[in-house]
Amino acid sequence: MRSILFLIFTISVFSLCAQDEAVLPKDVTISIGAGKNRFYEDREFILAAPLEVPILLNFGIFKNTELGLEFAPLFFNDKSAYNLSTEIDSTKNHFGGNILSFNSQIQHSLINTFRLSAYVQAGGGYTSLHKKQIIIGDLNELIGDGYSYSFGGGLRYQLGNEYNDVYPWFFDFSLVYTRFKFIISEYTINGETQPASDKSWKPLNFGSIDVILRLGYRFR
């Protein structure tokens, strides 16, 4: 009986101590987010209004440190709020397509308190591109792949109530710089491959500022 009581007491004390920190070894978190991206350095995306929907799975490996796997689809939309066309629909310029990223990530908490984690992160991985743009009625398509790498930081806030009970749900806000590098494997207009001398075959290298808000769940 004493052994059982001692075991219960030990588990209770450990649980109370564990509440003092937001990130611990063996923690598993899963989150889904929504983000806005601002591309720099390349006019290929001047009409794009990208929206990112990243899904992230993190594993606590050390106190304050997590490793993660991320699938980050980024969808293009046409940000033109105006129509320069006449009565002929084929003169509209429309932007579409996507960037799909499969990343690994490391995240280290600089502040690791009861409910709040302030962290820095770095990551990178394989990335594919499919850019579609209708220009004066013609469908221009760029397909390619390559890699990306990123670094940045953020805040994770664990939800709770007025009695300081901590819930497994959390909000996460991050600001990240991502660098993309693509090699173009296919360039077509209305399905016809274009000459290799066309400048659109050149590699695409550009940066992005990503602002992402996530909702997640922590298993401890």
Side-chain angles (χ1 to χ4, degrees):
M1 183 66 180
R2 288 182 178 179
S3 299
I4 294 175
L5 290 174
F6 178 75
L7 179 61
I8 294 173
F9 174 78
T10 302
I11 294 173
S12 300
V13 170
F14 177 79
S15 298
L16 289 173
C17 292
Q19 283 188 336
D20 292 338
E21 294 172 308
V23 177
L24 289 175
K26 297 185 180 180
D27 281 358
V28 177
T29 64
I30 184 169
S31 64
I32 183 169
K36 290 295 290 180
N37 312 75
R38 177 69 182 272
F39 293 150
Y40 292 93
E41 305 166 50
D42 203 304
R43 294 181 61 83
E44 284 281 352
F45 303 96
I46 194 169
L47 291 179
L51 175 64
E52 188 174 359
V53 188
I55 301 171
L56 176 63
L57 181 65
N58 268 353
F59 304 89
I61 55 169
F62 302 115
K63 183 179 176 180
N64 301 347
T65 304
E66 299 168 279
L67 288 181
L69 298 173
E70 181 183 54
F71 171 56
L74 188 155
F75 303 99
F76 297 131
N77 190 19
D78 192 342
K79 73 178 181 181
S80 302
Y82 48 84
N83 183 2
L84 299 179
S85 70
T86 59
E87 297 295 325
I88 304 174
D89 289 342
S90 64
T91 60
K92 293 180 181 178
N93 295 338
H94 184 75
F95 205 104
N98 59 69
I99 292 176
L100 303 179
S101 297
F102 302 85
N103 301 319
S104 58
Q105 189 179 100
I106 185 167
Q107 189 165 295
H108 181 75
S109 296
L110 303 175
I111 299 174
N112 188 18
T113 61
F114 184 45
R115 287 192 192 175
L116 181 67
S117 170
Y119 59 83
V120 292
Q121 67 178 53
Y126 170 80
T127 305
S128 66
L129 167 72
H130 187 181
K131 172 181 172 285
K132 297 186 288 186
Q133 188 172 6
I134 297 176
I135 303 176
I136 316 180
D138 294 324
L139 176 60
N140 289 246
E141 291 186 88
L142 277 180
I143 296 175
D145 60 3
Y147 66 93
S148 64
Y149 58 87
S150 64
F151 56 88
L155 295 171
R156 180 190 297 172
Y157 180 74
Q158 208 78 27
L159 299 180
N161 62 21
E162 59 185 313
Y163 304 106
N164 277 334
D165 294 326
V166 176
Y167 301 153
W169 296 96
F170 63 86
F171 282 117
D172 189 296
F173 172 81
S174 61
L175 180 64
V176 177
Y177 175 78
T178 303
R179 185 74 183 172
F180 293 97
K181 293 181 177 291
F182 290 110
I183 299 297
I184 303 303
S185 59
E186 187 175 345
Y187 170 46
T188 64
I189 297 180
N190 294 330
E192 295 185 5
T193 301
Q194 299 304 296
S197 58
D198 194 293
K199 64 178 182 180
S200 292
W201 284 98
K202 67 178 176 45
L204 281 178
N205 303 319
F206 58 94
S208 173
I209 299 294
D210 315 323
V211 179
I212 300 172
L213 180 65
R214 305 175 191 262
L215 174 64
Y217 190 91
R218 180 184 68 189
F219 299 89
R220 173 168 288 180

